[in-house]
Amino acid sequence: MAFLLVSAYLLLTRTQGAPVENGALLETLKSQVGLFSNKSEHYSAQVRPPGTSRRIPQTIIIGVRKGGTRALLEMLDIHPNIVVAATEVHFFDWDENYVKGIDWYRSLMPFSYGNQITIEKTPGYFTSPQAPERIHDMNSSIKLLLILRDPTERAVHRYANTA
């Protein structure tokens, strides 16, 4: 899992510009673990921090149920230059949400500064036949982080947690 998190971080920083110097990266992440979270739930819907805006995500996490998408999102959210949507939006896979339009989708994103990466997580996009084209139409250069898990481990975990 640690390798996956580091790989995801490197992918994001390589394409967005590294926000933290190499030597300070580890110390920054250590100081943030458990002490600070920039989750969007902390912001009231009416309060907009100065210099921020709601932006469509630059990255979307997709994957399978019980595959670790929530864990990846929570680990990435520790970084101060990443903000995450509070819930699974299901914009691209549910027609009743898609017809509400891109402005509705943007309104569900957290406030972010220009140097921050906005991330949404909806595993259902992975199995939706219409989601890939809709995502591409919105932003053809968006980064998709796909999380997969060994099918046997996943089945055992799901069985153990539903029995």
Side-chain angles (χ1 to χ4, degrees):
M1 181 63 127
F3 176 76
L4 177 64
L5 295 174
V6 170
S7 298
Y9 175 78
L10 291 175
L11 172 69
L12 292 172
T13 57
R14 190 176 6 218
T15 59
Q16 301 292 327
V20 180
E21 294 298 320
N22 290 341
L25 175 60
L26 182 59
E27 292 306 313
T28 300
L29 289 174
K30 282 181 183 177
S31 69
Q32 299 301 320
V33 174
L35 301 176
F36 177 78
S37 175
N38 54 354
K39 290 184 180 180
S40 59
E41 294 93 1
H42 296 291
Y43 295 126
S44 164
Q46 288 75 31
V47 177
R48 177 178 168 224
T52 64
S53 62
R54 294 184 191 269
R55 299 181 302 154
I56 58 174
Q58 294 89 11
T59 303
I60 297 177
I61 298 173
I62 61 175
V64 296
R65 291 185 70 195
K66 302 296 183 189
T69 55
R70 170 60 54 190
L72 175 60
L73 184 72
E74 290 179 4
M75 292 296 122
L76 290 173
D77 190 37
I78 292 170
H79 196 284
N81 285 347
I82 294 177
V83 294
V84 302
T87 63
E88 293 179 10
V89 179
H90 290 281
F91 178 68
F92 299 105
D93 60 340
W94 291 356
D95 292 334
E96 60 269 20
N97 287 343
Y98 191 72
V99 298
K100 295 176 184 177
I102 197 74
D103 289 332
W104 176 84
Y105 180 59
R106 185 181 291 114
S107 75
L108 299 176
M109 296 300 120
F111 290 107
S112 62
Y113 294 98
N115 66 326
Q116 290 180 311
I117 299 168
T118 302
I119 299 179
E120 183 223 332
K121 174 197 80 87
T122 302
Y125 297 161
F126 181 63
T127 57
S128 168
Q130 66 270 30
E133 183 177 353
R134 290 174 173 178
I135 292 170
H136 183 268
D137 289 346
M138 177 197 68
N139 180 354
S140 62
S141 64
I142 197 163
K143 305 295 184 257
L144 298 177
L145 295 179
L146 173 61
I147 306 298
L148 300 174
R149 185 174 182 182
D150 179 295
T152 305
E153 286 182 24
R154 191 171 143 238
V156 169
H157 184 265
R158 186 170 184 201
Y159 176 78
N161 289 319
T162 59

